[in-house]
Amino acid sequence: MFRFFLILLTIFSHTVLAAQTTIRLSGLSGELEDNVQLYLNRYGANDISTSLRFQSRLEQDISTALQALGYYDSEITIQLQQRTNGSRLNITVDAGEPIRINTVDLQVLGDAATDPEFINLLKQAPQPGQIVHHGRYDNFKNSLNSLALRRGYFDATFTLARLEVSPRAKQAFVKLHFDSGTRYRFGEVRFSGEHIQSARLQSLVPFKAGDPYLATQLGELNQALANTNWFSSILVTGNTEQLSETILPVDVELAPRKRNSIETGIGFSDDVGARFKLNWLKPWLNDRGHSLDSKLALSSAEQSVEAAYKMPLETVATDFWQLQYGLRNRDYQDTRSKESNLALERHWLLESDWYRTASIRWLYEDYTQADQEDISSLIMPGLSFSRARQTGSGMPIRADRLLLGIEVSDRSWGSDESFIRLRGRAGYINTFSDNHRLVSRIDAGAVLMAEIDNLPPSIRFFAGGDNNLRGYAYESVSPLNSEDELIGGRYMATASLEYQYRVKGNWWLATFADYGSAWSNTPDWKRGVGVGVRWGSPIGAVRIDFAWGLDAEGSPFQLHFSLGPEL
């Protein structure tokens, strides 16, 4: 008996599903069809019926959708068609002639009447002869209100806002009178919860008391405070409760960041094995905003430790001194080296968003390179320009990074050798259509004037590894001596092009080609190709690469794993 009822229930449910009514729309195209379809999509399969009442609702909805785009004289025909698998409502629409704007009465009163931003916005206002479009009319009104809020016209209001439509005359009349009132100005900026000297915080404020209000400048202040790394939370608000006529005070609530911050990173490649990095940051040491950044890097090929003491100047966002000291030990391939670096740097942020860095560095290096043993002491003043921009974090949507630098050494000021060392890097990331991503990098350097044999390994150039020439062992590409030992080159140039495709969520597949060499006389260009997997983790891009060196003997396979910025 139970099976009998189950069969009846199944037959009944199939009959009900088969008997459902559908809708078919014809006679429209483009924006008209899209807008009508939006109204029709509100009805689910169970909402549609063949009743005259429902057909009347359909006709009203379609008329409303067409009127919103300026078509008030439409003809709508609905026919019921019986089919073997149910019924269908065939809707045929003739939109008719549209209503056009006859006159536009647009007035902007108050301080906004001479504001260049409002003058530019008025170019987007409805114009005589245009088809009436209720959405664009509403959007223009909203744009006026939005612009007023962003530029400090807090008392702005429409004294007249009317869109009159005469379907019989096929004409429309736009009447908009917008009174902006007086533009507000910034008042005093008051900080609370701060642990850094007020003068240094005030140097971050991108406006002065009395300047016209601009919402984006509050955003700039928030970003400038965040860039210092001094605070765990930042809240920038206009204090509307203490308005004095048209002066708006600005309150900034701050909470100090923890005194210690630790970050770790890991990596792996076939040639040097595992790599481990540890960064220990003390973002503020005193009320002047001084900070200490310590870094430890360990691998079987190289171990290093360095510390940087940063001293912001009065203009915190743009100027600071930095004192750095580091030790590095290398024991890999044909290089044995122990080096000590001491550097004093002066940093400026230019109006063009480039960082200019002037430095003086003392390098002491005790090394063995192939069959050469020596000790080198070099004093090198330098100058560099760098810029880094990105949209999005982890795996940014767009990013670019540029670095141009020069260091000079001369015997006249106590160096063991005279030379000029040039270095340049460039990287670019762009995302196309959400699922396609392009990453490109160029890295180049040159040493001028000196004989390469007279310079320590850290001044010479080597290529190879996951940072510039995948498919080749770390720093395994360079000129060789008579016994086929690596000696390092005077020049280096590498380029990389990588395409990534989003598989799902934050997971990407990649394919890439690298090209480059390190040389002293004639370059021996090397090619590397491969495929990889990318994961946009919360702490940065995780990258696994399977690479082949096409110009190495036997085209050896290299596995590279790394975590961190792609540029």
Side-chain angles (χ1 to χ4, degrees):
M1 180 65 68
F2 175 76
R3 180 178 297 178
F4 173 75
F5 280 114
L6 182 61
I7 293 172
L8 286 179
L9 180 62
T10 302
I11 294 173
F12 176 75
S13 62
H14 278 290
T15 303
V16 170
L17 290 174
Q20 286 182 343
T21 304
T22 60
I23 294 175
R24 180 180 180 184
L25 178 68
S26 61
L28 298 175
S29 61
E31 188 179 20
L32 294 178
E33 181 180 16
D34 293 340
N35 204 46
V36 169
Q37 198 63 55
L38 284 175
Y39 276 76
L40 299 182
N41 288 342
R42 296 182 303 175
Y43 297 109
N46 295 328
D47 299 325
I48 301 172
S49 74
T50 60
S51 70
L52 294 178
R53 183 177 180 181
F54 179 74
Q55 293 182 42
S56 179
R57 286 176 60 190
L58 282 180
E59 187 172 345
Q60 182 60 46
D61 284 345
I62 295 170
S63 294
T64 301
L66 294 173
Q67 289 172 11
L69 303 182
Y71 290 80
Y72 281 73
D73 192 24
S74 59
E75 293 184 5
I76 303 169
T77 303
I78 302 178
Q79 293 181 332
L80 176 61
Q81 180 184 4
Q82 296 295 341
R83 310 173 71 197
T84 56
N85 59 345
S87 56
R88 182 166 70 186
L89 295 175
N90 292 318
I91 306 174
T92 304
V93 181
D94 180 1
E97 291 296 319
I99 304 293
R100 294 186 180 273
I101 298 173
N102 181 272
T103 59
V104 176
D105 178 12
L106 177 60
Q107 298 180 31
V108 175
L109 308 174
D111 288 356
T114 57
D115 189 321
E117 292 294 323
F118 274 88
I119 293 173
N120 188 56
L121 178 59
L122 294 182
K123 298 176 183 177
Q124 303 175 27
Q127 300 295 325
Q130 291 180 346
I131 298 175
V132 172
H133 193 300
H134 289 259
R136 292 172 189 163
Y137 168 79
D138 289 335
N139 288 341
F140 180 71
K141 286 177 56 183
N142 292 335
S143 296
L144 286 171
N145 276 324
S146 178
L147 183 59
L149 288 175
R150 294 198 306 270
R151 296 184 66 80
Y153 300 94
F154 300 127
D155 300 324
T157 184
F158 284 99
T159 58
L160 177 63
R162 188 179 301 160
L163 174 58
E164 300 174 348
V165 178
S166 175
R168 181 173 297 179
K170 289 188 170 51
Q171 292 181 344
F173 308 90
V174 176
K175 297 179 181 180
L176 288 173
H177 295 180
F178 185 74
D179 187 354
S180 70
T182 303
R183 185 176 183 182
Y184 281 65
R185 296 181 177 273
F186 284 117
E188 177 188 0
V189 179
R190 297 170 296 197
F191 294 93
S192 62
E194 74 276 16
H195 57 291
I196 304 296
Q197 292 176 357
S198 178
R200 294 177 180 267
L201 298 181
Q202 290 290 345
S203 74
L204 297 170
V205 179
F207 52 85
K208 298 178 181 178
D211 285 352
Y213 176 90
L214 196 60
T216 55
Q217 290 189 321
L218 293 182
E220 291 173 13
L221 173 57
N222 195 307
Q223 187 60 51
L225 291 166
N227 289 341
T228 65
N229 286 324
W230 292 335
F231 310 104
S232 62
S233 68
I234 303 165
L235 180 62
V236 181
T237 57
N239 191 334
T240 56
E241 296 182 358
Q242 296 186 14
L243 284 173
S244 176
E245 294 183 351
T246 57
I247 301 300
L248 179 68
V250 177
D251 290 341
V252 183
E253 298 179 25
L254 302 169
R257 185 175 173 180
K258 293 182 179 179
R259 283 184 173 270
N260 296 282
S261 175
I262 295 177
E263 297 179 352
T264 60
I266 57 175
F268 177 85
S269 62
D270 284 343
D271 43 9
V272 299
R275 300 192 303 270
F276 174 76
K277 293 182 179 180
L278 176 68
N279 291 359
W280 176 25
L281 173 65
K282 297 180 76 66
W284 58 277
L285 298 170
N286 50 43
D287 63 358
R288 297 184 302 280
H290 292 193
S291 62
L292 180 64
D293 190 5
S294 305
K295 298 179 180 180
L296 173 69
L298 300 174
S299 71
S300 60
E302 186 176 300
Q303 306 85 43
S304 68
V305 60
E306 64 180 63
Y309 189 89
K310 182 179 178 180
M311 299 164 282
L313 299 178
E314 292 300 322
T315 50
V316 170
T318 59
D319 303 300
F320 64 91
W321 286 93
Q322 185 164 269
L323 180 65
Q324 288 184 299
Y325 182 70
L327 297 170
R328 183 170 74 153
N329 178 68
R330 292 180 61 195
D331 186 355
Y332 181 70
Q333 300 278 19
D334 301 316
T335 303
R336 309 288 183 273
S337 170
K338 295 180 180 179
E339 64 179 86
S340 172
N341 274 283
L342 178 64
L344 179 63
E345 300 174 342
R346 174 70 163 88
H347 294 252
W348 298 265
L349 177 61
L350 306 179
E351 292 183 0
S352 59
D353 289 336
W354 283 82
Y355 261 109
R356 178 178 62 195
T357 304
S359 63
I360 183 166
R361 178 165 71 107
W362 173 58
L363 168 66
Y364 181 85
E365 190 164 354
D366 183 352
Y367 66 92
T368 299
Q369 183 63 52
D371 57 355
Q372 179 189 3
E373 294 185 20
D374 207 344
I375 296 176
S376 181
S377 177
L378 303 171
I379 300 173
M380 296 173 287
L383 182 67
S384 69
F385 292 86
S386 63
R387 186 185 70 189
R389 303 177 297 187
Q390 75 175 47
T391 302
S393 58
M395 293 182 67
I397 299 172
R398 282 179 297 277
D400 63 76
R401 184 180 181 90
L402 295 167
L403 169 67
L404 300 170
I406 181 173
E407 286 186 307
V408 180
S409 176
D410 197 277
R411 291 190 180 96
S412 64
W413 55 61
S415 286
D416 290 341
E417 190 60 49
S418 298
F419 63 88
I420 298 174
R421 191 174 193 265
L422 304 173
R423 192 66 194 274
R425 295 192 186 99
Y428 175 75
I429 296 174
N430 200 3
T431 304
F432 305 91
S433 303
D434 293 333
N435 296 325
H436 306 274
R437 201 162 177 266
L438 191 66
V439 180
S440 57
R441 293 185 294 266
I442 298 175
D443 194 357
V447 177
L448 309 178
M449 298 173 54
E451 291 295 328
I452 201 68
D453 291 344
N454 297 333
L455 300 178
S458 64
I459 300 297
R460 308 180 193 187
F461 290 105
F462 300 81
D466 53 13
N467 286 326
N468 64 3
L469 192 54
R470 287 164 288 188
Y472 298 84
Y474 175 63
E475 295 195 346
S476 64
V477 177
S478 93
L480 306 174
N481 62 12
S482 58
E483 298 184 7
D484 290 337
E485 295 174 314
L486 301 168
I487 60 174
R490 179 188 295 273
Y491 309 105
M492 185 270 294
T494 64
S496 174
L497 184 62
E498 179 173 311
Y499 166 74
Q500 299 173 0
Y501 175 74
R502 188 197 304 269
V503 179
K504 185 177 182 181
N506 292 324
W507 289 93
W508 303 70
L509 291 178
T511 182
F512 57 84
D514 295 351
Y515 187 77
S517 182
W519 72 97
S520 291
N521 297 311
T522 302
D524 181 14
W525 298 110
K526 305 294 185 182
R527 298 168 298 165
V529 297
V531 295
V533 178
R534 306 286 182 264
W535 175 47
S537 77
I539 58 175
V542 178
R543 307 185 300 277
I544 301 176
D545 287 326
F546 307 89
W548 289 264
L550 299 182
D551 297 300
E553 184 176 351
S555 296
F557 166 79
Q558 290 282 327
L559 174 65
H560 304 284
F561 170 76
S562 56
L563 166 63
E566 296 172 280
L567 297 182

